[in-house]
Amino acid sequence: EVQLVESGGGSVHPGSSLRLSCEGSGFVFSAYDINWVRQRPGKGLEWVSAFGSAGDTYYADFVKGRFTVSRENVKDSVYLQMTNLGLGDTAVYYCAARYGSGSPEPLDYWGQGTLVTVSS
Amino acid sequence: QSALTQPASVSGSPGQSITISCTETNSDIGHFNYVSWYQQHPGKGPKLIIYAVSNRPSGVSNRFSGSKSGNTASLTISGLQAEDEADYYCSSYTSSTTAFGTGTKVSVL
């Protein structure tokens, strides 16, 4: 069974840092691009970042310079280091896997999400 | 980055068919050939139901179908069932980034 499990969410104050983890199982993790997608309360899906199977990284403009994505294939895991968090970063963060064929592919697998709450 | 606009809500009675539109308001139409649709039930992660405009992943009901005309993609749900009540998002993607639509809440009356 394919699974993606996020962890590391929690409640923090503005300006704080947090590291999210995404662990995969049931598929060839190293062959997939792992994306982070967030959903703010009552809002839609918003793409955040990706770590490609080829080692490339991508970020949405609103997180550039604040978030860093990394990967450990030996642990079938991808991480999202978030710094200088603001109130607008409050969201459920999902990781999602896209087959890394080098061609446009959909997000095949999704986790259940981890909640990040930024409040003063 | 594409801007994808969907109706906020669509409703229908059990057994009916409904269609959700997704209009690209960006001139980057080339990426719109890779349109996917995701279903999200409350408190759950999204699930892929259509990819590359009109293809269904294994295990997805054939009541879901997709199409595209010009800069508008559409998701049709036939034979509407109570379990179809959820939020639906279109998405366009390249090999490096993904844009999501504004989302549509489907209600089964």
Side-chain angles (χ1 to χ4, degrees):
Chain A
E1 179 194 8
V2 170
Q3 272 198 312
L4 284 170
V5 179
E6 304 92 338
S7 61
S11 291
V12 297
H13 294 303
S16 298
S17 299
L18 208 56
R19 189 175 90 147
L20 306 182
S21 299
C22 169
E23 183 174 358
S25 60
F27 64 104
V28 182
F29 190 84
S30 60
Y32 282 74
D33 304 339
I34 304 300
N35 290 250
W36 288 97
V37 175
R38 73 182 185 184
Q39 188 168 35
R40 290 186 274 188
K43 303 297 184 182
L45 302 174
E46 190 173 38
W47 179 81
V48 174
S49 180
F51 198 114
S53 59
D56 41 342
T57 59
Y58 305 93
Y59 299 95
D61 287 344
F62 57 83
V63 301
K64 278 181 182 176
R66 298 192 301 128
F67 292 9
T68 303
V69 64
S70 60
R71 183 169 186 146
E72 281 189 275
N73 282 338
V74 292
K75 294 185 178 180
D76 287 348
S77 294
V78 167
Y79 309 99
L80 186 67
Q81 179 68 49
M82 306 185 294
T83 64
N84 193 22
L85 285 163
L87 299 178
D89 295 315
T90 293
V92 174
Y93 285 75
Y94 297 99
C95 64
R98 182 202 313 277
Y99 184 60
S101 66
S103 299
E105 300 282 354
L107 294 167
D108 292 307
Y109 311 129
W110 292 73
Q112 291 301 299
T114 187
L115 176 62
V116 173
T117 303
V118 184
S119 68
S120 53
Chain B
Q1 189 84 13
S2 294
L4 304 175
T5 302
Q6 302 176 231
S9 62
V10 173
S11 62
S13 299
Q16 286 187 329
S17 293
I18 61 169
T19 296
I20 303 168
S21 62
C22 170
T23 301
E24 186 190 42
T25 57
N26 183 297
S27 61
D28 196 10
I29 291 177
H31 296 162
F32 208 47
N33 289 323
Y34 298 97
V35 174
S36 56
W37 290 88
Y38 300 89
Q39 177 193 60
Q40 185 181 33
H41 286 107
K44 303 291 188 181
K47 173 189 173 183
L48 176 68
I49 56 173
I50 294 287
Y51 67 96
V53 178
S54 60
N55 295 276
R56 273 189 314 275
S58 174
V60 173
S61 171
N62 59 9
R63 297 186 299 103
F64 294 95
S65 61
S67 63
K68 184 174 81 76
S69 177
N71 68 336
T72 298
S74 298
L75 172 71
T76 297
I77 309 175
S78 305
L80 199 62
Q81 299 181 1
E83 67 204 48
D84 300 330
E85 189 160 285
D87 293 326
Y88 293 82
Y89 295 89
C90 64
S91 174
S92 70
Y93 50 93
T94 67
S95 56
S96 60
T97 188
T98 298
F100 291 99
T102 50
T104 298
K105 181 176 182 60
V106 167
S107 299
V108 181
L109 304 174

